[in-house]
Amino acid sequence: MDHEKMRIQGGVSVIQNKISLPVKKKNQIISKEIQKETLPCIRMEGSYMAELAVAIPFFVGFLMIILFFFQILTVEQEVENALFSTGRELAVVFCEKQEDTAGERLTAKALFLKNLAKNSAAEEFVTGGRMGISLSESDFSGNYVRLKANYKICFPIGLFGKKELRITQKVMCRKWTGRNDSDPKEEIVYVAKNGSVYHRSRECTYLKPSVESVNKNAVGGLRNADGGKYYSCGACIKGNMTNTMVVYITKYGNRYHGRRDCKRIKRTVFAVRLSETEGKNACSKCGKE
């Protein structure tokens, strides 16, 4: 009996081992599958969260900087418009004043604040609001009104180690002083548009060039009144001009033209006083006294 019991017990033990052994292996397989499937997902979610935690502040900061610079452009445009309107008004108000006094600065500041709306972007973003815009460096002496606006705009966040941006804008307007006829005997001379010399005679050949048509093939052997060669005009001659055999030259010019009405031949002439030709030399042909 003891032997059978042992066998039975052994049999039971064998049966139990046969039953329990697959269950353990099954549990091990399931646990491994769970580890393979879940652990990588947990690691990926954590990685994404870490990246977002770093990227979002940078992205928000970048947007703030972009919007801030758009606001700066708005403020600058408003200040420029106010300066321009103020300069035009002061050009009339100060037309008879030639000195620069503190009273003129007060007048300029009052007109500037009138032209700059209270609900403007400058009121919100400029340090000190509209009153924070200084015109103390403006100059009203002479025949011009020179307005100079200085102000500061604070950065929403520290940028390049700076907390504020200093801005300066300038506008210059000529006073309405009219023409000074105190010296009616002052000589009147003539200047061409974009010309570098002044002429004492309106009939100067440099101002009224006589145009002559010549054969294109013969222009290489021709010389102007000063003995110079003729070169192609950069304004009206394109390429080799194979479609035409006629070009146009002037007696004192050094270019040949493909068109008689070329803008380099035509002259726009202005009559001015000799004192207004500063920086221009006298014409070598008619400028001698």
Side-chain angles (χ1 to χ4, degrees):
M1 292 182 63
D2 292 339
H3 181 67
E4 291 179 7
K5 185 175 181 179
M6 289 175 65
R7 289 181 63 187
I8 293 172
Q9 290 176 350
V12 172
S13 175
V14 171
I15 294 171
Q16 289 177 348
N17 290 335
K18 289 181 179 180
I19 295 173
S20 61
L21 185 59
V23 172
K24 290 180 180 179
K25 289 183 178 181
K26 184 176 181 180
N27 290 337
Q28 291 176 358
I29 294 170
I30 293 173
S31 63
K32 289 181 179 180
E33 291 178 353
I34 292 173
Q35 290 178 357
K36 291 180 179 179
E37 294 179 0
T38 59
L39 290 180
C41 294
I42 294 173
R43 286 195 295 268
M44 290 176 66
E45 292 177 358
S47 176
Y48 290 153
M49 292 299 294
E51 291 176 0
L52 288 174
V54 174
I56 288 178
F58 282 101
F59 180 71
V60 172
F62 177 75
L63 286 181
M64 290 179 63
I65 293 173
I66 294 297
L67 294 175
F68 173 72
F69 279 104
F70 274 113
Q71 294 295 344
I72 290 178
L73 294 176
T74 302
V75 172
E76 288 182 340
Q77 186 62 52
E78 291 178 349
V79 172
E80 182 179 355
N81 292 339
L83 284 175
F84 182 73
S85 299
T86 303
R88 294 184 63 183
E89 295 179 34
L90 292 176
V92 178
V93 175
F94 296 158
C95 63
E96 297 181 355
K97 296 182 179 181
Q98 298 293 317
E99 298 180 356
D100 189 357
T101 63
E104 292 178 343
R105 286 185 172 78
L106 293 175
T107 303
K109 186 62 177 287
L111 287 175
F112 175 75
L113 294 177
K114 177 182 73 70
N115 292 320
L116 187 63
K118 292 182 179 180
N119 59 349
S120 65
E123 181 67 26
E124 180 179 356
F125 294 98
V126 173
T127 303
R130 296 188 307 151
M131 297 300 296
I133 302 176
S134 174
L135 301 180
S136 61
E137 297 184 14
S138 300
D139 182 17
F140 308 102
S141 60
N143 294 327
Y144 290 89
V145 173
R146 301 174 181 86
L147 294 175
K148 184 177 181 180
N150 296 310
Y151 56 95
K152 303 175 184 177
I153 296 180
C154 291
F155 288 116
I157 56 177
L159 189 64
F160 304 117
K162 296 183 179 180
K163 296 183 179 180
E164 60 185 14
L165 178 66
R166 298 175 181 269
I167 300 177
T168 298
Q169 292 180 250
K170 300 178 182 179
V171 167
M172 184 173 70
C173 297
R174 192 180 189 282
K175 295 179 182 178
W176 289 56
T177 54
R179 180 184 291 275
N180 184 6
D181 293 327
S182 57
D183 187 7
K185 296 182 179 180
E186 185 176 1
E187 183 181 4
I188 299 297
V189 295
Y190 306 92
V191 295
K193 185 178 180 181
N194 301 324
S196 59
V197 299
Y198 65 86
H199 306 264
R200 285 193 160 89
S201 172
R202 180 63 180 85
E203 302 302 318
C204 179
T205 54
Y206 286 130
L207 295 178
K208 300 180 66 175
S210 58
V211 183
E212 180 183 357
S213 60
V214 298
N215 188 288
K216 176 189 173 184
N217 295 330
V219 72
L222 299 177
R223 297 294 183 269
N224 61 21
D226 297 324
K229 295 180 61 176
Y230 289 98
Y231 302 91
S232 62
C233 172
C236 64
I237 292 184
K238 306 296 183 182
N240 295 324
M241 290 187 60
T242 56
N243 296 330
T244 181
M245 294 300 295
V246 177
V247 294
Y248 304 92
I249 60 174
T250 60
K251 186 176 180 180
Y252 289 94
N254 62 353
R255 304 287 174 177
Y256 62 87
H257 308 267
R259 297 173 54 183
R260 180 180 288 272
D261 59 348
C262 175
K263 63 181 181 180
R264 298 290 176 85
I265 298 179
K266 298 175 65 176
R267 298 287 190 272
T268 301
V269 182
F270 302 94
V272 299
R273 296 182 181 275
L274 181 61
S275 60
E276 298 176 3
T277 61
E278 184 179 357
K280 297 182 184 296
N281 298 318
C283 170
S284 59
K285 185 174 180 62
C286 68
K288 298 180 181 180
E289 296 184 0

